[in-house]
Amino acid sequence: MANADKIVYLGKNQGGQAPKATMGKYGVQADACGTMMVQAIQPLLHDLFAQADDDLYRLAENSTSNARQTLFFDAMRGLRLFQEKAEKAYLRMLQNTFTSFWQGRPFVSSSAASSQGDDGEFSLVEKDELEEELAVTSMATKAQGMYHRELHALDRRFAHMLGKESIDSEQNPAGPTVLAEIFRVVLDDWETEEVLARIVVYKCFEKSVLSSLGDVYERMNLYLAEKGVLPELIPQRSGGRIRNRSSGANANRNVSRSPVDQGLAADDSVAHVPQDEATPSLQELWQYVRQLTAQGMPGVAGEAVDSVANLHLPVLPKNNVMDALSSMQSAALSDLDLENVEWAAVQERIRQQLSQTLCLDEAGNATHRFGEAEQQTIDVIMMLFDHVLDDANLPDAMRALIARLQIPVLKAAIADDSFVDDQQHPARRLLNDLAAASVGWRDDGDRSEKSLYVQVKRSVDRIVHEYTDDVSLFEEVLEEFAQFMEKRAKLKKMLEDRLTQAVSGEERLEVAKLRVEEVLRELGADYLPEAAREILEQPWKKLMTILLLREGEEGGNWRKAVNIAKLLVMYLGRDSGEVDRQKLLSSIPEMISGLKKGFSYISFDQKKSAAMLNKLQACFISVLKHGEVISDGQQAQPNDAEEQTDTTEPAIEDAHSISVRNMKEGSWIRMQLDAEEEPLICKLVWRSKFTGTMVFVDGQGNKAGQMKEAELAAYFRDGSAKFLEDAQAPLIDRAIKKMMKVLNARIVGPKLQMSE
């Protein structure tokens, strides 16, 4: 492999294996740090290739054309053959990078080195290379921010070991920038032309390697502190990576969080919003319901079976209640068209079934009554499901499936009355996870084995047909569903990352183009003769765009490109005035040489470039002979006020525009853009900081919409869009909050009427 030639160390010894570091009293510690990093990275590399293999397979499986599928399968096979060589090359380069760093030879990639060469030539990239560079830069920057505390301490310790005041964090051999750049060099030898496949592998490197460096950074800092290297530095670990290091019951609860919950917190980038009040217990809810019933509030609870009115009847034993509910369980709702149903009628039917099955004889006379505990549980759970089935965040098909869990959940709540106030109750967690997975799901008719609908149905069927009184079945079903959702979350995240990366790349490219046009317009390029204007508007504009994307306006090559444009305007522009012939003669070679280098690095057609330069030289000769350009092609572009009038309507500033502007990534909205179509439920995953463009995805991670802030605000203004209320809150929490609001309204409403 030729990888070793693609890493450049600025110093005398650039060839072959770097010698062992010799750093006096810190030599042992320096070698130990390199060894620790190599040992930590080695298993992570293996994980990344395994993850990449899975992701490429899924891409191939979901491809819409045979050609695309073949490309991904070929890339997958090539990556498997490449893996062993790549892992060895990466570890070798990593060790060499550490050794060279300790010898004072900073790391730069081959691309950066070419831009720093003595000849001052431009280092350019084509479109695919630009996408790769953006991917590498993005993941390194993200990891740098994630571990900024640990890296800051490590930078200071490494600088101390080198006898320096400080070091550039991007030169730290353990830092994400260097690690990502080494991987980019290694991946150059992977023979695939499919840029999307390469981007997938970069994302796997980010997830498997860069996102797993916290422990090794902590170990390196602790080791160096113990060895006397700035022991006073005690960095706090960056947030979010030690969640499960709890003890006792809290640790168990943290570990037991399902991947669905974890996926929502990670993928949607929205922290759980704490409730204003603690969730009331089942006993407290039931007492509140009874208070309303005693005040004569109609339609609250207990209308079908009222134990208070039948105190003379014998109490139905708890075991009998459970047995009777089991007989209802599999039959409940089975004969209904669950996708076209009035849920209030369904709930009333279940209440009647409860009454007839449990407490009435064949003639309809009451023979038993519920015990107080069973009565309160039935009242509250039935009311709770009234609000669950009225939840606007549930798609109709999923609502129909979840409705079938009502009797099993009622049984589970009777068996354990902590269901309402224990957020970790397995039955409650299953309901929450099924609902969370359904947010943003669009019913496209897919009923295949891998579809979300079939997986939810399978979970519901197992509970309905197998649950008796062992709550561990909920745990088992919950785990199966969590495993399915974990795989689905990875694919969803990959789709979202691909989408946001593509859109952000397009956005950055568009912004760069606009900035280049602005610079050329400010210089006065519009008033150049045709020969010079043609160069600036075609190849030179492309060159400046690439340099701006790569280096920014502080980059040396960018400034050189702008300077050449300035010289052309200075000597050939409308306001050039009397030209200093000597300065022009000395500047012509510089301009021509710079133009040739720029043309070469963007692979501009040689015949076209020669013709353009010949025309430009004719312009210079004309200026030298006559003091101005004598050419019919010289066209001053008038500043026509009418043509430049901005016809864009001013944005409306109101509460809607403010709320849209303050939307966070991960926010869910409901949009009804066509009265004849189903509402679109989608999540904001990316927003441009330059233009305000917003990108939305559905629950599967597929692109659902792209629009500007003003356009979305207009939809909110006319009622076509609204925020999805409490989209990230668990289903049962939402139902309890809604139930409490309704109950409060039934008390406050009559009181207000009486006072009037």
Side-chain angles (χ1 to χ4, degrees):
M1 296 179 69
N3 288 332
D5 297 333
K6 297 178 183 177
I7 299 292
V8 178
Y9 303 94
L10 297 184
K12 293 182 179 180
N13 300 322
Q14 294 184 10
Q17 178 82 10
K20 191 174 182 64
T22 55
M23 297 187 57
K25 68 174 183 177
Y26 291 124
V28 173
Q29 289 81 5
D31 289 338
C33 287
T35 301
M36 290 170 66
M37 180 57 72
V38 169
Q39 290 176 347
I41 290 286
Q42 188 169 8
L44 300 179
L45 289 174
H46 189 75
D47 292 343
L48 101 83
F49 281 105
Q51 182 64 55
D53 190 82
D54 292 342
D55 290 350
L56 289 172
Y57 180 81
R58 279 194 288 269
L59 282 173
E61 196 176 36
N62 294 317
S63 295
T64 56
S65 69
N66 291 334
R68 296 285 289 174
Q69 188 176 66
T70 301
L71 279 174
F72 287 123
F73 277 132
D74 288 345
M76 185 174 64
R77 285 189 289 269
L79 190 64
R80 289 174 180 173
L81 297 174
F82 178 61
Q83 177 177 350
E84 183 177 356
K85 292 181 179 180
E87 290 181 4
K88 290 180 179 178
Y90 189 94
L91 296 175
R92 182 175 66 252
M93 290 184 194
L94 179 59
Q95 185 65 66
N96 289 348
T97 302
F98 263 87
T99 303
S100 299
F101 172 80
W102 297 125
Q103 293 181 334
R105 293 184 291 142
F107 167 95
V108 291
S109 68
S110 59
S111 58
S114 65
S115 68
Q116 296 175 8
D118 295 335
D119 59 1
E121 293 180 345
F122 294 108
S123 177
L124 305 176
V125 291
E126 296 301 327
K127 180 180 178 181
D128 289 351
E129 294 173 332
L130 179 61
E131 289 190 25
E132 288 191 48
E133 180 152 340
L134 290 174
V136 172
T137 302
S138 174
M139 66 183 181
T141 301
K142 188 183 299 183
Q144 193 79 27
M146 185 183 303
Y147 306 115
H148 65 94
R149 293 188 180 91
E150 295 92 329
L151 288 170
H152 176 70
L154 211 54
D155 288 345
R156 291 187 60 185
R157 289 193 165 101
F158 282 5
H160 179 79
M161 293 164 69
L162 288 170
K164 297 181 177 181
E165 288 292 328
S166 63
I167 62 171
D168 185 349
S169 61
E170 293 187 355
Q171 300 297 336
N172 187 331
T177 300
V178 173
L179 298 179
E181 188 62 37
I182 293 176
F183 187 70
R184 180 186 181 186
V185 173
V186 171
L187 209 62
D188 281 345
D189 281 346
W190 177 32
E191 297 179 357
T192 180
E193 297 180 357
E194 178 53 49
V195 65
L196 180 55
R198 302 178 74 87
I199 297 299
V200 167
V201 177
Y202 282 126
K203 296 304 294 182
C204 291
F205 181 81
E206 179 184 354
K207 290 185 288 186
S208 299
V209 178
L210 295 186
S211 297
S212 304
L213 297 176
D215 288 336
V216 68
Y217 288 152
E218 185 179 28
R219 290 199 304 271
M220 290 170 72
N221 272 307
L222 290 174
Y223 168 77
L224 292 176
E226 290 171 358
K227 297 302 180 182
V229 183
L230 301 183
E232 68 276 11
L233 293 179
I234 307 177
Q236 297 178 350
R237 298 195 66 182
S238 299
R241 296 195 304 280
I242 52 175
R243 294 175 184 166
N244 293 337
R245 294 190 177 184
S246 304
S247 60
N250 289 337
N252 293 334
R253 287 202 172 185
N254 286 342
V255 173
S256 67
R257 282 187 70 208
S258 72
V260 176
D261 296 328
Q262 296 169 358
L264 281 173
D267 294 346
D268 297 340
S269 303
V270 176
H272 175 66
V273 179
Q275 301 295 326
D276 296 336
E277 299 178 358
T279 303
S281 67
L282 177 66
Q283 181 72 19
E284 290 170 336
L285 277 174
W286 183 77
Q287 289 176 352
Y288 196 33
V289 170
R290 280 304 177 194
Q291 176 188 353
L292 297 185
T293 304
Q295 295 176 5
M297 299 298 165
V300 176
E303 288 185 342
V305 180
D306 192 344
S307 59
V308 176
N310 297 300
L311 291 177
H312 63 285
L313 296 175
V315 173
L316 193 66
K318 183 175 180 178
N319 290 340
N320 289 27
V321 175
M322 296 292 284
D323 291 341
L325 288 174
S326 295
S327 68
M328 294 177 57
Q329 185 168 298
S330 59
L333 308 180
S334 61
D335 59 339
L336 293 174
D337 178 8
L338 293 178
E339 296 189 8
N340 297 282
V341 68
E342 178 61 44
W343 290 108
V346 170
Q347 290 298 94
E348 180 59 30
R349 174 176 176 176
I350 292 177
R351 286 186 171 90
Q352 291 175 0
Q353 286 179 325
L354 283 171
S355 173
Q356 294 168 0
T357 304
L358 301 179
C359 298
L360 303 181
D361 59 17
E362 294 180 357
N365 299 316
T367 58
H368 294 83
R369 64 182 175 90
F370 290 118
E372 183 176 356
E374 289 76 34
Q375 179 69 64
Q376 69 183 35
T377 302
I378 291 173
D379 285 350
V380 171
I381 297 302
M382 288 298 297
M383 289 188 67
L384 196 60
F385 261 87
D386 287 345
H387 297 289
V388 165
L389 298 179
D390 191 43
D391 194 297
N393 297 346
L394 289 178
D396 289 342
M398 294 299 183
R399 190 195 323 271
L401 293 175
I402 290 174
R404 298 184 61 210
L405 292 175
Q406 186 163 194
I407 299 300
V409 168
L410 179 56
K411 286 172 57 181
I414 289 175
D416 179 6
D417 63 7
S418 69
F419 171 86
V420 173
D421 55 310
D422 180 9
Q423 295 186 353
Q424 297 302 317
H425 192 287
R428 177 168 175 166
R429 287 166 53 210
L430 180 61
L431 279 173
N432 288 337
D433 283 6
L434 294 179
S438 303
V439 175
W441 177 77
R442 286 193 280 183
D443 191 356
D444 55 4
D446 182 11
R447 299 296 187 265
S448 65
E449 285 298 309
K450 295 182 179 180
S451 69
L452 176 63
Y453 179 88
V454 168
Q455 189 63 36
V456 172
K457 186 176 186 300
R458 184 178 291 123
S459 300
V460 171
D461 285 344
R462 282 206 62 190
I463 296 297
V464 168
H465 297 301
E466 298 178 27
Y467 176 63
T468 53
D469 57 2
D470 186 0
V471 77
S472 65
L473 178 65
F474 283 94
E475 292 275 11
E476 184 180 335
V477 173
L478 182 66
E479 179 61 27
E480 290 177 359
F481 186 71
Q483 291 175 2
F484 169 83
M485 288 304 299
E486 187 174 17
K487 295 178 181 178
R488 183 180 174 86
K490 290 180 180 178
L491 178 59
K492 174 184 171 184
K493 186 68 166 59
M494 183 175 64
L495 292 174
E496 291 182 5
D497 288 344
R498 282 172 50 196
L499 172 62
T500 56
Q501 190 168 36
V503 177
S504 63
E506 293 172 1
E507 185 85 7
R508 288 186 61 191
L509 180 60
E510 189 62 30
V511 170
K513 287 179 178 179
L514 292 174
R515 176 55 183 154
V516 169
E517 290 178 356
E518 180 183 9
V519 169
L520 293 177
R521 187 169 58 252
E522 290 174 351
L523 292 176
D526 290 343
Y527 302 98
L528 287 170
E530 182 180 0
R533 195 169 63 250
E534 184 180 18
I535 289 175
L536 293 185
E537 290 181 351
Q538 295 179 26
W540 211 248
K541 183 182 290 186
K542 178 181 178 182
L543 170 69
M544 292 176 68
T545 301
I546 294 176
L547 291 176
L548 182 58
L549 281 171
R550 179 173 180 178
E551 300 180 358
E553 297 194 36
E554 300 303 318
N557 290 329
W558 161 263
R559 290 198 297 267
K560 291 177 184 178
V562 173
N563 187 56
I564 288 178
K566 283 182 179 178
L567 290 175
L568 290 176
V569 174
M570 180 189 302
Y571 293 116
L572 302 177
R574 181 181 62 177
D575 300 325
S576 57
E578 184 176 350
V579 176
D580 187 324
R581 295 182 78 259
Q582 292 302 319
K583 286 186 178 180
L584 175 56
L585 283 171
S586 63
S587 299
I588 287 175
E590 176 188 353
M591 288 186 281
I592 297 299
S593 174
L595 290 170
K596 285 181 178 180
K597 290 175 182 177
F599 292 164
S600 174
Y601 278 101
I602 61 173
S603 301
F604 190 60
D605 185 86
Q606 292 184 356
K607 290 184 179 180
K608 289 184 178 180
S609 64
M612 286 183 173
L613 291 176
N614 286 336
K615 292 180 181 179
L616 184 64
Q617 286 176 334
C619 291
F620 288 140
I621 292 172
S622 176
V623 171
L624 290 170
K625 285 184 176 181
H626 308 288
E628 62 178 348
V629 179
I630 306 300
S631 171
D632 293 337
Q634 185 172 7
Q635 299 175 358
Q637 302 296 323
N639 183 12
D640 189 281
E642 293 182 358
E643 292 183 2
Q644 295 188 3
T645 300
D646 187 1
T647 58
T648 305
E649 295 184 3
I652 301 174
E653 185 69 11
D654 58 8
H656 299 292
S657 60
I658 293 173
S659 63
V660 169
R661 192 161 56 245
N662 292 334
M663 278 181 68
K664 304 295 185 183
E665 291 184 5
S667 299
W668 288 86
I669 62 172
R670 178 193 302 272
M671 302 184 69
Q672 184 75 59
L673 304 183
D674 190 332
E676 298 181 359
E677 295 182 0
E678 287 292 320
L680 175 63
I681 296 177
C682 51
K683 178 182 69 172
L684 176 65
V685 292
W686 183 83
R687 182 206 302 263
S688 168
K689 62 182 179 181
F690 301 108
T691 64
T693 298
M694 310 173 79
V695 178
F696 296 86
V697 298
D698 60 17
Q700 289 95 315
N702 299 315
K703 186 175 181 180
Q706 179 175 331
M707 64 190 72
K708 296 292 182 66
E709 291 177 351
E711 185 180 358
L712 180 59
Y715 287 134
F716 273 96
R717 203 169 287 118
D718 64 19
S720 301
K722 63 179 181 179
F723 287 101
L724 207 59
E725 184 179 0
D726 294 331
Q728 300 307 311
L731 174 67
I732 300 301
D733 287 5
R734 297 201 302 264
I736 291 175
K737 284 178 62 178
K738 188 174 180 181
M739 185 168 76
M740 293 302 295
K741 287 181 181 179
V742 172
L743 293 176
N744 280 323
R746 286 177 175 173
I747 289 180
V748 174
K751 287 184 177 180
L752 290 177
Q753 292 176 6
M754 290 174 63
S755 64
E756 292 174 357

